[in-house]
Amino acid sequence: MDILEGLNDEQRAAVTSTEGFVRVAAGAGSGKTRALSRRFAWLVNELGVMPGNILCVTFSNKSAGEMQRRIHNLIGDNDTGYISTFHGFCLSVLQEEAHIIQYPRSFMVLDNTDIDAMLDIIYRERGLTLRHMSFSRARDMIEIRKTITETDYYRDMTAMPLEPLRQKYESASDPSDIIFYGYLYQEKKCFGLDYNDLIMLTLHVFDQDRETRQKWQQRLEYVMIDEFQDIDRLQYRLMEALCGYHKNLFIVGDPDQTIYTWRGADVRYFLDFDKAFPGVKTISMMKNYRSSPQIIAAANSLISKNSVRMEKSILPTLKDGAPVLCYHASNSEEEASWIVGEIKKLREAGAELRDICVLYRAHHVTRTLEDVFIKEKIPYTIYSGVPFFERREIRDALAYLRMIAFRDDLSFARIVNVPRRNMGERRMAFLREYAAQNNCTLWEALNLTVEQEIFKGTRAAQCIALIEGLAGDSSSRPVSELLAEVLDASGYERMLRTEGAQNRLDNLAELEQSVHEFETTCGEEAALPDYLARMALFTGSDAGDARDRVKLMTVHAAKGLEFPYVFLCAMNEGVFPSQKTRTREGMEEERRLAFVAMTRAQKGLFLSEAGGRNSDGSPRYPSRFLLDIGEPLLKFIQRPADSLIADAREYIAFSSHWLERGAEEAIFSVGERVTHRTFGEGVVLEVDRGRSAYRVRFDGLPTPRVLSFRAPLERLISL
């Protein structure tokens, strides 16, 4: 096919601008995925570039899979280069360069479930409880220490032998140190790496080994990065390293959709791209192929109220549609009833329930909605439940596969008694003690002691025979075949059938389908360790739901998705925008979040809010984001009283005054290096805008300090 067929002038310019530094400002619904995939095909089909010399980074495994399918159809080659997330690409690097970090190529990739299992071991061994630190806080603490305060931690993981690392863990006394070094020890023990390790260790490899860095720089002749507005500091460093030789870097993003600053994203990387790189060519793709002109007009009107942005407007291409409806309810129950009433009208007009999505800023909003949905018998799904790859039966199946590949302690502890093999806590305690005394894994301990009296009457020997039998020829067998056999021979599927757990059996069937898709995509490279590493990178957003039911989700969860009909509810001050917003920058991000929500809609957009009073007794006002939109662009089914709008404007003006003050006072961000005239150099760990304070860890002090925005701090290294 003609690669340029069906592209508009701006998309053609993006596809054919192959050399140097190119920045594409792509408005919502402007076809950036199409442009990215066509550009990849243009490089391969028209310029003759080898696919293996192209890197295309996306921000979710789902979008990477979609990109791979599109490019495969365009170039007709199973080799589609490096199309992945940043973490997926770093996985490829570290698998190839594992010897540099003294890890085996088939190392384990850890997700939150694995981390929690490790924390459980640490807490049990050292007598810690959740009063010392919750697992969630422990994960956050580990991430902060790895990425901000102790960025050379990898020296303990890679260079230090296991025994000294264990001693460092056992000699720690502070709960934070116990958890941190215990976690590093557990990682090293099973040769595991978590998401932060993948990027940090890749940067370490590139920093420490010039030849390896040059090899990858020379290999990647063209680098393309999607959703560039959401890039963080470490990803930016990685990008700089990768494009340092050929200097062919193509970025796509929309600064009006930067909604992850709390996760480290910095819109300045996109806005200041032309200052950081010489001779940047900027292309604007503003023609929207997703939403009706009415939806676009309302979204443009809203986002124009932000000041830190590129001056641009999305341009409609579709024919006129329905007006954007807005409803003011007297209370939350009436608002929910109106939403359900409109959904029924859409259904009667021929719309499928799966075409309808209800978006909200905060999870607590769903309580009233669910009550009405249940009462009116409207099927729905909330996208905040257990993600597909974290469901018990999926974790069990993957643990069996990991046992075949790695024989690690985490997987062993999960599957050894599932189905029941009479391997209770007494026998597990015996194995843990034996493994600790003999410096071996639990699996090795079981193999060495299975003939002892304590294991009589168990099915431990059958478990050993099953795993070792499958492991013996696993390298020559397809993953799908191994999965089917282990689920059958272990008795796991029989256990579910006996329990009548059809939903869990259906989920296993879906897992088997994902394995087939993996094998089809990867071909000869579809080895078991590769499959397990890729699956560890998947999240809940990477699995869809084809059932005919209304989708309920937060706006953050909807990023990158689109729906024929969108209801954006609870548009009230203190809900959307969030009451936690303390600065002008924070309010602009909230407005960008509302913009993202509105531009998810294709045919119909419904905005609603409710009057009444908040839990603290204060009056509930319509959101400033509704008032930001020009009134002629909205069709009010029920309009707020003029007096309520006047009161809302007065409240917004008052709160905006405090936003300006907060914006002026907070001049440092998390991760920045600062210096204090008394305490010396340090790093900002937290910005508490509510208290107008920073929490700073100083290099020369054993514990952090909380200092006001007025403290004598100066920027040492600007990000």
Side-chain angles (χ1 to χ4, degrees), residues 180 319 404 461 631 698:
F180 184 66
K319 64 181 181 179
I404 295 170
E631 192 161 322
F698 291 99

Side-chain angles (χ1 to χ4, degrees), residues 94 96-107 154-162 187-193 201 204-205:
L94 292 176
E96 189 168 324
E97 314 298 346
H99 60 283
I100 297 176
I101 60 172
Q102 301 181 48
Y103 260 52
R105 183 189 182 280
S106 57
F107 57 81
Y154 51 78
R155 300 186 191 281
D156 286 343
M157 282 186 61
T158 58
M160 185 181 290
L162 187 61
E187 279 192 290
K188 175 84 171 183
K189 187 178 178 183
C190 69
F191 289 114
L193 297 177
L201 289 179
H204 168 60
V205 167

Side-chain angles (χ1 to χ4, degrees), residues 231-297:
I231 201 169
D232 65 27
R233 179 171 56 92
L234 293 177
Q235 293 164 348
Y236 190 85
R237 281 182 56 198
L238 182 62
M239 175 209 74
E240 284 184 304
L242 294 175
C243 70
Y245 181 76
H246 294 288
K247 302 187 186 307
N248 290 325
L249 177 60
F250 178 91
I251 68 166
V252 184
D254 182 4
D256 285 336
Q257 297 189 64
T258 303
I259 61 173
Y260 293 117
T261 58
W262 51 274
R263 210 166 62 185
D266 192 336
V267 70
R268 291 176 297 178
Y269 291 135
F270 187 93
L271 296 177
D272 297 339
F273 188 75
D274 54 339
K275 299 174 184 175
F277 297 94
V280 169
K281 179 178 181 179
T282 297
I283 301 168
S284 292
M285 288 174 23
M286 291 297 122
K287 293 178 181 176
N288 180 285
Y289 297 93
R290 174 191 298 157
S291 306
S292 70
Q294 287 78 5
I295 295 170
I296 291 173

Side-chain angles (χ1 to χ4, degrees), residues 5-240:
E5 181 183 350
L7 301 182
N8 62 37
D9 292 342
E10 294 79 14
Q11 290 170 335
R12 284 172 177 250
V15 168
T16 57
S17 298
T18 60
E19 307 306 305
F21 299 103
V22 182
R23 172 177 62 179
V24 177
S30 62
K32 64 182 179 64
T33 303
R34 190 183 205 198
L36 277 165
S37 55
R38 294 288 186 94
R39 187 176 192 268
F40 195 112
W42 179 267
L43 289 169
V44 174
N45 291 3
E46 301 299 324
L47 274 62
V49 178
M50 298 295 293
N53 296 113
I54 304 172
L55 168 64
C56 182
V57 177
T58 68
F59 271 74
S60 75
N61 292 288
K62 185 176 182 179
S63 58
E66 173 62 23
M67 191 78 71
Q68 284 179 330
R69 284 188 289 273
R70 291 194 186 200
I71 290 171
H72 171 72
N73 291 335
L74 288 167
I75 68 176
D77 192 334
N78 283 330
D79 181 5
T80 52
Y82 298 95
I83 304 172
S84 65
T85 62
F86 273 109
H87 293 100
F89 171 72
C90 289
L91 173 62
S92 298
V93 173
L94 292 176
Q95 285 178 330
E96 189 168 324
E97 314 298 346
H99 60 283
I100 297 176
I101 60 172
Q102 301 181 48
Y103 260 52
R105 183 189 182 280
S106 57
F107 57 81
M108 287 173 54
V109 180
L110 308 172
D111 59 20
N112 280 346
T113 303
D114 299 319
I115 295 172
D116 285 351
M118 289 180 170
L119 291 174
D120 186 60
I121 293 171
I122 296 164
Y123 279 44
R124 185 174 61 246
E125 287 181 346
R126 296 301 304 273
L128 298 179
T129 69
L130 297 181
R131 291 182 179 179
H132 291 95
M133 194 178 299
S134 68
F135 280 11
S136 176
R137 281 190 58 203
R139 290 197 303 268
D140 290 343
M141 179 273 294
I142 291 168
E143 180 172 4
I144 289 173
R145 290 180 71 154
K146 281 188 172 186
T147 60
I148 297 177
T149 64
E150 299 181 39
T151 53
D152 60 349
Y153 74 90
Y154 51 78
R155 300 186 191 281
D156 286 343
M157 282 186 61
T158 58
M160 185 181 290
L162 187 61
E163 183 58 25
L165 183 56
R166 182 180 68 83
Q167 293 174 1
K168 195 169 185 177
Y169 155 52
E170 292 180 346
S171 64
S173 57
D174 179 78
S176 293
D177 289 340
I178 292 172
I179 294 168
F180 184 66
Y181 291 112
Y183 177 66
L184 296 186
Y185 169 66
Q186 291 294 333
E187 279 192 290
K188 175 84 171 183
K189 187 178 178 183
C190 69
F191 289 114
L193 297 177
D194 63 26
Y195 289 9
N196 292 312
D197 298 327
L198 294 176
I199 290 185
M200 292 295 292
L201 289 179
T202 299
L203 287 169
H204 168 60
V205 167
F206 288 164
D207 288 342
Q208 299 297 312
D209 194 306
R210 182 179 177 183
E211 289 186 2
T212 299
R213 181 175 71 249
Q214 287 182 336
K215 179 183 77 173
W216 283 93
Q217 286 177 333
Q218 292 174 10
R219 178 184 299 180
L220 301 175
E221 298 172 0
Y222 296 89
V223 177
M224 301 190 288
I225 302 179
D226 191 12
E227 303 285 5
F228 194 81
Q229 77 278 350
D230 291 326
I231 201 169
D232 65 27
R233 179 171 56 92
L234 293 177
Q235 293 164 348
Y236 190 85
R237 281 182 56 198
L238 182 62
M239 175 209 74
E240 284 184 304

Side-chain angles (χ1 to χ4, degrees), residues 361-562:
R361 178 67 178 90
H363 283 294
H364 68 80
V365 169
T366 65
R367 184 192 62 80
T368 308
L369 283 170
E370 288 189 81
D371 287 346
V372 178
F373 272 73
I374 293 170
K375 179 182 177 182
E376 298 296 327
K377 297 182 173 58
I378 301 291
Y380 67 92
T381 296
I382 296 183
Y383 278 69
S384 61
V386 179
F388 179 79
F389 289 101
E390 293 179 18
R391 292 172 183 170
R392 184 175 63 176
E393 59 275 13
I394 303 303
R395 300 297 309 178
D396 289 345
L398 293 178
Y400 267 108
L401 290 180
R402 290 208 319 193
M403 277 301 297
I404 295 170
F406 304 120
R407 325 293 205 284
D408 64 288
D409 287 357
L410 298 179
S411 302
F412 175 80
R414 185 175 188 100
I415 61 92
V416 67
N417 208 36
V418 181
R420 293 190 181 279
R421 298 185 176 92
N422 206 16
M423 293 290 292
E425 184 54 39
R426 180 174 67 90
R427 293 183 171 97
M428 289 300 295
F430 171 84
L431 286 177
R432 283 193 290 267
E433 183 177 352
Y434 186 94
Q437 291 175 351
N438 293 274
N439 196 26
C440 64
T441 66
L442 295 175
W443 181 253
E444 291 168 337
L446 181 62
N447 275 268
L448 292 169
T449 62
V450 69
E451 298 298 330
Q452 293 189 21
E453 183 69 24
I454 191 172
F455 293 113
K456 286 189 175 179
T458 72
R459 297 176 58 213
Q462 292 94 317
C463 182
I464 292 174
L466 169 68
I467 298 301
E468 294 296 347
L470 290 173
D473 60 352
S474 63
S475 60
S476 61
R477 297 177 65 182
V479 180
S480 55
E481 189 176 302
L482 289 170
L483 176 62
E485 184 168 344
V486 77
L487 291 177
D488 176 55
S490 67
Y492 191 87
E493 285 187 331
R494 182 168 59 254
M495 175 189 73
L496 295 185
R497 283 194 293 270
T498 301
E499 294 174 356
Q502 187 58 47
N503 284 342
R504 296 174 65 192
L505 287 167
D506 291 343
N507 288 336
L508 288 178
E510 186 66 26
L511 177 65
E512 291 174 340
Q513 179 61 35
S514 81
V515 174
H516 285 297
E517 291 176 0
F518 168 81
E519 292 172 335
T520 301
T521 301
C522 298
E524 295 179 358
E525 299 177 5
L528 178 58
D530 295 322
Y531 171 76
L532 292 170
R534 296 294 170 183
M535 287 303 101
L537 297 178
F538 270 67
T539 64
S541 61
D542 296 316
D545 187 340
R547 294 173 293 180
D548 189 31
R549 53 186 63 205
V550 178
K551 300 175 179 67
L552 276 63
M553 68 181 75
T554 65
V555 181
H556 279 103
K559 180 71 164 62
L561 305 177
E562 57 187 45

Side-chain angles (χ1 to χ4, degrees), residues 590-663:
E590 288 287 298
R591 189 174 283 107
R592 291 194 295 266
L593 192 58
F595 174 80
V596 167
M598 293 171 66
T599 54
R600 300 309 93 199
Q602 298 170 309
K603 299 178 181 179
L605 176 61
F606 305 78
L607 309 176
S608 63
E609 51 87 18
R613 293 193 173 273
N614 297 311
S615 57
D616 61 1
S618 61
R620 191 179 293 161
Y621 298 118
S623 169
R624 67 191 69 197
F625 301 150
L626 290 177
L627 304 182
D628 282 342
I629 302 171
E631 192 161 322
L633 303 177
L634 301 176
K635 179 180 179 180
F636 280 92
I637 304 302
Q638 188 163 293
R639 189 177 185 280
D642 290 341
S643 59
L644 180 60
I645 292 178
D647 289 345
R649 292 192 186 279
E650 183 178 349
Y651 167 82
I652 292 166
F654 176 78
S655 65
S656 296
H657 168 71
W658 292 101
L659 291 177
E660 293 299 330
R661 282 192 57 184

